[in-house]
Amino acid sequence: MTATAWRADPYTDALRTGRGPLFLRRRDGWLLPLEVERWCEGPDSADLTVLSRCHGPVLDIGCGPGRLVVALEARGHRVLGIDVSPEAVARTVRAGGTALLRSVFEPVPDEGRWGTALLIDGNVGIGGDPAALMRRVSEVTAPGAVLIAETSADDEDADERVEVTVVNGRGERGAPFPWARLGARALCAHAAGAGWTPAGQWTAAGRSFVELRGPAQRRGA
């Protein structure tokens, strides 16, 4: 259902044109603006703080139109973007990046070998189950890997799991799907259960980020 929702016309149309407005709409009417224009441009100053912390091969989970994938490749990283939106993957490839149409909960190339994983632009919400997402990221990354995640900038304690739809400025909407909104404290709490430990936290250009470090060896090894 989540993959179907992100393939719906409002999201696809916004990525195709590179313009919003676009929102996640909660059932009670609350709207979260989606920054389509920023996603379709090059990395901004906040993104650069993320890029500088990446090491080794990088997996960008929910890569969108691929600005981070392309920038990391230009820096010499081996990088793969995955996304459930065909238009997002197509834009990434057109921009010169490497991307696959794939959910993180499906088999991923080179599982267990990625040195850095990215969950940027609200992608800590993928699947609506943060603990399950953290466990899955630990499976696809290498021992001692880095996870860089963007969290809620206005509420460190946010820990919300909701049903949302993607809607545009004309009221057109996709199918409902589960999503999560997390602040830094909540993310770290969920991540601890999968063996991730906090390694840094910062804000840039009004956005909030957390760096986590995976265990040096896999559990049971």
Side-chain angles (χ1 to χ4, degrees):
M1 179 64 74
T2 299
T4 301
W6 287 110
R7 296 172 186 176
D9 285 345
Y11 183 66
T12 298
D13 290 346
L15 284 191
R16 189 173 290 130
T17 63
R19 298 179 60 187
L22 199 68
F23 309 89
L24 286 184
R25 185 184 188 277
R26 207 164 55 190
R27 296 180 75 178
D28 63 3
W30 177 84
L31 295 174
L32 174 68
L34 300 178
E35 299 181 79
V36 176
E37 290 87 354
R38 178 173 63 78
W39 299 348
C40 292
E41 296 175 351
D44 64 12
S45 60
D47 293 328
L48 294 178
T49 69
V50 172
L51 300 180
S52 67
R53 288 170 166 83
C54 293
H55 72 84
V58 182
L59 181 66
D60 187 357
I61 301 168
C63 66
R67 72 187 189 283
L68 301 184
V69 173
V70 173
L72 284 164
E73 288 188 346
R75 290 177 174 227
H77 289 274
R78 183 168 71 86
V79 55
L80 174 66
I82 58 173
D83 204 290
V84 298
S85 163
E87 183 61 26
V89 171
R91 279 196 69 128
T92 300
V93 172
R94 288 197 299 270
T98 303
L100 290 177
L101 185 65
R102 194 71 50 90
S103 164
V104 68
F105 293 105
E106 297 172 334
V108 173
D110 293 328
E111 288 205 15
R113 299 180 183 178
W114 297 100
T116 301
L118 301 179
L119 288 168
I120 307 301
D121 299 328
N123 286 330
V124 290
I126 289 173
D129 185 342
L133 179 60
M134 294 298 103
R135 290 192 299 269
R136 180 58 180 145
V137 176
S138 72
E139 293 171 354
V140 301
T141 51
V146 167
L147 167 60
I148 303 174
E150 185 170 353
T151 59
S152 174
D154 56 1
D155 185 356
E156 278 203 346
D157 295 310
D159 189 0
E160 179 180 330
R161 280 166 290 286
V162 294
E163 182 179 88
V164 296
T165 55
V166 179
V167 300
N168 62 21
R170 298 184 298 276
E172 298 167 335
R173 66 182 64 191
F177 60 96
W179 197 251
R181 188 174 68 92
L182 298 176
R185 289 194 186 96
L187 173 64
C188 290
H190 288 293
W196 296 98
T197 56
Q201 183 177 343
W202 70 99
T203 59
R207 296 163 62 194
S208 178
F209 303 91
V210 172
E211 180 179 333
L212 301 162
R213 181 78 61 171
Q217 63 179 19
R218 299 194 183 283
R219 295 181 178 185

